Amino acid sequence: MKLIDLIDEIPFIDTYKHYGSVTKVVGILIEAKGPKSSIGDICYIYPKNSCKEKGIIGEVVGFNDNSVFIMPYNEVNDIAPGWVVEGTGRSLEIKVGDGLVGKVVDSLGKPMDGTPLPENLQRWATDHEPPNPLSRPPISEILEVGVRTIDSLLTVGKGQRVGIFAGSGVGKSTLLGMIARNTKADLNVIALIGERGREVREFIERDLGEEGLKRSIVVAATSDQPALMRIKGAYTATAIAEYFRNKGLNVMLMMDSVTRIAMAQREVGLAVGEPPATKGYTPSVFSILPKLLERTGTNEYGSITAFYTVLVDGDDLNEPIADTVRGILDGHIVLDRNLANKGQYPAIHVLKSISRLMNGLVDNNHLEAASKFRDLLNTYLQSEDLINIGAYKKGSSKEIDTAIEYYPHLISFLKQATDEKLTFEESVQALKSLIAGE
């Protein structure tokens, strides 16, 4: 370690230590007598006469009288009664800076390929308060994402927060990869929370690609890691995005998935004694979601445009987590399994999706063309069963006749190859030309 790095560490060196000892371990929860700590403080747990680097790092999640409840960041396999618990008196911090761009890190901000962190990084807390509502500039600029359906029919603004709702295997990761490669944002921060281990590398190499990784920071917390690591993965990714937003950048944050964060928080809540509430989710789940999601958006320096995926069980869009997240965000994109089964990718169900800010972002001509597109698609789908069984006679309805004529072109417009790059202007012009009958 260089002298300048040692000097930087001086303010964080504890001159007075607080210690305790492990008294009980139940499931994923460690109970200790002491040390003096607050909720959210980091603790080190290690055997007597050993160094903390070889021990366990955890976080205080609760207390009862003099007993402190600690949740570990890594697996607990060899802990024993009487192990030393050292309190740090501070919450989790990571190191962040331009040197992280192109890196894949874990929930603690450490590179997953085992390489050392780059130099000249700044300490940054993972937990921040959302921006003051009065310091948030209104969203007035369009952000190009490079996906024709979104740019033309569900236009997104810089600083908007959008949910992507879908069941498993409908194309969420593929859509995120397309957005990451094609977007005009200054930087991508991608959080992969609760993913299978093999999917992390697959997403980076197949969906994100070398071009996307060069302008991205990936935070990964796989499904085999403890619940607290999965939760902290979301906090770390959000904190990294906040750091670059404060530097004046327009950041794109993509998080997959919010549902797995909620499941991890449920594990933590049940472990510390919270009662299960709605469908087994503890009250803390519904308190952390708004705090986490409200941290993104605009502030006086820059913006964080966020895409959050929500895994809906059994394709039920009204289950508790999906319903809560939809009420917080500024729009939602629904991926439909039936469309995916028909070979329509991305499988965006336009009629079930909405961008709440689109009306204030685009001109009237664009808005009219998008509205006409929806009307044509809705008219056809309302009559699809009659058309397919031959019960509809041509000429019975002028609107249905027009919808039948346009339908193949509407579906062709909604399809886009994963490697197809389109500008916002090209997408909008294609929409206007389609509606004009060209």
Side-chain angles (χ1 to χ4, degrees):
M1 184 177 284
K2 295 182 179 180
L3 178 60
I4 189 170
D5 294 326
L6 292 172
I7 293 172
D8 290 340
E9 293 294 325
I10 289 175
F12 304 99
I13 296 175
D14 292 331
T15 56
Y16 187 80
K17 299 285 189 182
H18 293 276
Y19 293 99
S21 61
V22 173
T23 58
K24 187 177 180 182
V25 176
V26 179
I28 59 175
L29 195 67
I30 301 169
E31 186 175 329
K33 213 69 175 175
K36 183 179 178 182
S37 299
S38 302
I39 298 291
D41 283 357
I42 298 299
C43 291
Y44 293 102
I45 307 168
Y46 48 90
K48 293 179 180 179
N49 304 319
S50 178
C51 61
K52 62 186 178 185
E53 282 75 13
K54 295 181 180 178
I56 297 164
I57 181 172
E59 181 178 313
V60 177
V61 295
F63 56 85
N64 182 16
D65 292 331
N66 292 325
S67 295
V68 177
F69 302 141
I70 302 166
M71 195 77 68
Y73 284 136
N74 43 341
E75 292 293 342
V76 179
N77 297 318
D78 55 355
I79 195 170
W83 274 35
V84 176
V85 180
E86 179 187 324
T88 64
R90 54 188 175 86
S91 58
L92 179 65
E93 293 177 328
I94 58 171
K95 289 190 174 182
V96 63
D98 294 337
L100 277 188
V101 179
K103 293 279 188 181
V104 182
V105 300
D106 63 14
S107 300
L108 305 181
K110 299 176 181 177
M112 297 190 72
D113 58 5
T115 60
L117 281 170
E119 297 179 5
N120 302 322
L121 299 183
Q122 178 182 336
R123 282 184 176 269
W124 192 253
T126 59
D127 196 1
H128 293 96
E129 290 295 320
N132 187 310
L134 297 183
S135 71
R136 291 183 183 267
I139 297 171
S140 57
E141 291 184 55
I142 292 169
L143 179 66
E144 178 181 313
V145 299
V147 178
R148 180 166 48 221
T149 303
I150 298 176
D151 280 340
S152 59
L153 300 171
L154 303 163
T155 308
V156 173
K158 291 180 181 178
Q160 186 171 347
R161 301 159 305 148
V162 181
I164 299 176
F165 295 75
S168 57
V170 189
K172 297 186 302 299
S173 297
T174 303
L175 180 58
L176 290 181
M178 290 176 66
I179 294 171
R181 291 193 305 272
N182 300 338
T183 182
K184 292 297 183 182
D186 299 322
L187 176 73
N188 300 316
V189 179
I190 303 169
L192 304 176
I193 310 298
E195 293 285 343
R196 303 173 185 91
R198 67 168 179 82
E199 289 181 329
V200 174
R201 186 165 181 175
E202 282 184 8
F203 175 83
I204 293 168
E205 295 183 357
R206 184 187 63 193
D207 297 324
L208 186 58
E210 185 179 351
E211 179 185 352
L213 184 59
K214 285 180 180 177
R215 49 201 297 268
S216 304
I217 300 171
V218 180
V219 180
T222 52
S223 59
D224 60 298
Q225 293 182 322
L228 203 58
M229 280 290 274
R230 283 174 269 149
I231 297 169
K232 287 301 172 184
Y235 279 70
T236 295
T238 305
I240 292 171
E242 289 171 323
Y243 170 84
F244 287 101
R245 175 179 64 183
N246 288 355
K247 292 182 68 175
L249 273 61
N250 293 310
V251 183
M252 174 74 76
L253 172 65
M254 287 172 276
M255 193 172 291
D256 183 15
S257 72
V258 173
T259 308
R260 294 192 178 105
I261 298 167
M263 290 177 175
Q265 181 61 37
R266 177 173 61 185
E267 287 183 46
V268 173
L270 291 173
V272 298
E274 279 190 80
T278 311
K279 287 196 173 181
Y281 288 103
T282 56
S284 62
V285 173
F286 301 100
S287 67
I288 72 159
L289 285 178
K291 292 178 182 177
L292 177 65
L293 304 183
E294 283 290 342
R295 286 170 61 180
T296 55
T298 59
N299 71 359
E300 61 267 36
Y301 306 109
S303 68
I304 301 174
T305 306
F307 282 87
Y308 298 98
T309 69
V310 181
L311 187 64
V312 289
D313 294 331
D315 296 329
D316 179 14
L317 295 172
N318 295 315
E319 59 97 21
I321 300 303
D323 204 37
T324 300
V325 173
R326 190 167 54 242
I328 298 169
L329 300 179
D330 309 316
H332 53 271
I333 296 170
V334 177
L335 302 186
D336 190 280
R337 190 176 301 278
N338 291 329
L339 297 180
N341 292 339
K342 293 177 183 178
Q344 179 182 320
Y345 287 99
I348 298 174
H349 197 306
V350 174
L351 301 180
K352 292 182 180 179
S353 306
I354 188 171
S355 170
R356 294 180 180 173
L357 302 180
M358 181 177 175
N359 289 2
L361 294 172
V362 303
D363 59 48
N364 289 335
N365 291 335
H366 181 175
L367 208 57
E368 288 174 8
S371 178
K372 181 66 175 176
F373 187 103
R374 287 173 174 270
D375 287 343
L376 289 167
L377 185 60
N378 183 57
T379 300
Y380 182 89
L381 294 178
Q382 291 288 336
S383 309
E384 187 175 25
D385 291 340
L386 292 175
I387 296 168
N388 289 339
I389 65 174
Y392 174 75
K393 293 183 179 179
K394 187 177 181 180
S396 300
S397 168
K398 184 178 179 180
E399 289 78 12
I400 296 177
D401 289 343
T402 303
I404 293 172
E405 179 186 351
Y406 270 86
Y407 184 69
H409 305 289
L410 302 180
I411 297 303
S412 178
F413 178 87
L414 295 174
K415 292 181 179 180
Q416 182 176 339
T418 56
D419 58 352
E420 185 180 357
K421 296 190 69 172
L422 295 166
T423 65
F424 178 82
E425 290 75 17
E426 289 172 340
S427 297
V428 175
Q429 186 55 49
L431 172 66
K432 292 179 179 178
S433 297
L434 171 62
I435 297 304
E438 297 177 9

